[in-house]
């Protein structure tokens, strides 16, 4: 789980990774025999029994540094990724980060110019509001309406959703399903872990090779612990996470 890749001086929310660190993290993946792919591609490979060696790469919020800093490095390594963008904030800034520096978001033109074979577009909601506790109409707008707006812009299906702040409950999952998505990503493992609440590992500037190895091991152990406790037993096998 990435956010922004750029040079910076002030980053209180730790959402930014420098281009140099990002390149070294991709290099670590390659040396480890792993290939970064979009989340949708990872899930299709998992369903076909060929996901070994694949790691889903995702970028939340849709920052304007994506085409400038992320895309060239993905191309260099032969990787792909998913960008979860805030549909009604395109061309604006990260107004939800009240204490952090203003970071520009992708414009509509930048979004439409992204190569769909390199960057899968997913929704991060309409306004970057946490879904938990929203009224039904607001839930429908954040999920279904955001998907409609993005599909009108990019002209391709928008299959993935990312819960703002990782906030997810059963009502949020139901709204995402009703909105026509094929999967959704969260942050932590939990009782809703599955195709519509896929857990991810946060990656930041401090994550050198040994920390990435540790995070990968921790992510696997947490997934195993959830399965051993019998969490998510109401989900069908096809809904289970590939982690």
């Amino acid at each position: 789980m990435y956010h922004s890749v750029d040079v910076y001086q002030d980053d209180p929310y730790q959402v930014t990774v420098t281009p140099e660190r990002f390149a070294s993290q991709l290099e670590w993946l390659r040396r480890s025999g792993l290939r970064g792919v979009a989340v949708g591609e990872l899930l299709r490979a998992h369903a076909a029994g060929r996901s070994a060696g694949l790691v889903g790469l995702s970028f939340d919020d849709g920052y304007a540094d994506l085409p400038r800093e992320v895309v060239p490095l993905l191309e260099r390594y032969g990787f792909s990724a998913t960008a979860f963008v805030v549909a009604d904030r395109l061309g604006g800034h990260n107004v939800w980060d009240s204490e952090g520096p203003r970071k520009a978001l992708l414009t509509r033109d930048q979004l439409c110019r992204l190569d769909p074979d390199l960057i899968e577009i997913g929704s991060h909601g309409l306004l970057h509001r946490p879904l938990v506790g929203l009224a039904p109409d607001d839930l429908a707008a954040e999920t279904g309406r955001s998907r409609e707006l993005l599909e009108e812009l990019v002209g391709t299906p928008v299959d993935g959703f990312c819960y703002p702040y990782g906030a997810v409950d059963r009502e949020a999952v139901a709204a995402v399903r009703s909105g026509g998505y094929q999967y959704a990503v969260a942050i932590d493992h939990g009782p809703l872990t599955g195709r519509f609440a896929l857990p991810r590992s946060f990656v930041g500037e401090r994550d050198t090779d040994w920390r990435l190895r540790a995070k990968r091991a921790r992510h696997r152990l947490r997934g195993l612990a959830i399965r051993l406790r019998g969490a998510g037993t109401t989900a069908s096998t096809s809904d289970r996470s590939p982690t």
Side-chain angles (χ1 to χ4, degrees):
M1 179 181 68
Y2 286 96
H3 290 78
S4 170
V5 176
D6 204 357
V7 294
Y8 68 93
Q9 293 181 331
D10 182 30
D11 187 32
Y13 295 103
Q14 300 183 14
V15 297
T16 312
V17 174
T18 61
E20 293 77 15
R21 179 68 76 195
F22 181 55
S24 71
Q25 291 165 348
L26 297 188
E27 178 62 30
W28 176 82
L29 288 175
R30 184 166 69 177
R31 290 199 315 270
S32 302
L34 302 170
R35 181 166 67 90
V37 298
V39 180
E41 181 178 346
L42 175 65
L43 291 174
R44 290 189 294 272
H46 176 67
R50 50 180 179 81
S51 61
L54 300 183
V55 174
L57 298 180
S58 59
F59 291 81
D60 293 6
D61 301 338
Y63 290 105
D65 53 57
L66 185 79
R68 184 182 71 249
E69 303 291 355
V70 175
V71 166
L73 286 169
L74 293 178
E75 290 177 327
R76 179 193 303 177
Y77 285 90
F79 291 177
S80 60
T82 301
F84 294 107
V85 303
V86 185
D88 212 26
R89 300 285 192 191
L90 292 170
H93 296 80
N94 56 331
V95 295
W96 53 85
D97 288 338
S98 59
E99 297 181 9
R102 295 281 71 84
K103 297 178 71 69
L105 302 174
L106 290 166
T107 66
R108 287 172 172 78
D109 183 64
Q110 286 176 314
L111 180 70
C112 293
R113 290 176 179 270
L114 292 171
D115 182 352
D117 292 329
L118 192 70
I119 300 293
E120 174 194 29
I121 300 301
S123 172
H124 200 25
L126 197 65
L127 296 169
H128 200 281
R129 293 187 291 177
L131 299 193
V132 174
L134 286 183
D137 286 350
D138 291 331
L139 269 177
E142 290 291 335
T143 54
R145 181 54 183 157
S146 68
R147 180 170 176 261
E148 292 172 0
L149 288 175
L150 292 173
E151 288 186 339
E152 289 172 4
L153 283 172
V154 300
T156 56
V158 172
D159 292 331
F161 185 87
C162 174
Y163 298 101
Y165 307 102
V168 55
D169 59 9
R170 295 190 182 280
E171 289 75 18
V173 169
V176 169
R177 285 178 177 268
S178 297
Y181 295 94
Q182 300 302 307
Y183 73 87
V185 298
I187 299 177
D188 297 323
H189 292 83
L192 295 175
T193 289
R195 192 177 185 90
F196 287 91
L198 294 167
R200 297 177 295 163
S201 290
F202 167 81
V203 182
E205 178 67 15
R206 298 175 58 199
D207 290 325
T208 54
D209 292 6
W210 73 268
R211 284 175 61 94
L212 290 172
R213 285 194 297 271
K215 284 190 171 185
R216 187 182 184 212
R218 183 182 65 183
H219 187 76
R220 288 179 164 183
L221 287 173
R222 285 176 173 175
L224 177 61
I226 287 291
R227 288 192 291 272
L228 290 176
R229 288 200 299 267
T233 55
T234 58
S236 67
T237 302
S238 62
D239 280 349
R240 297 278 170 79
S241 165
T243 57

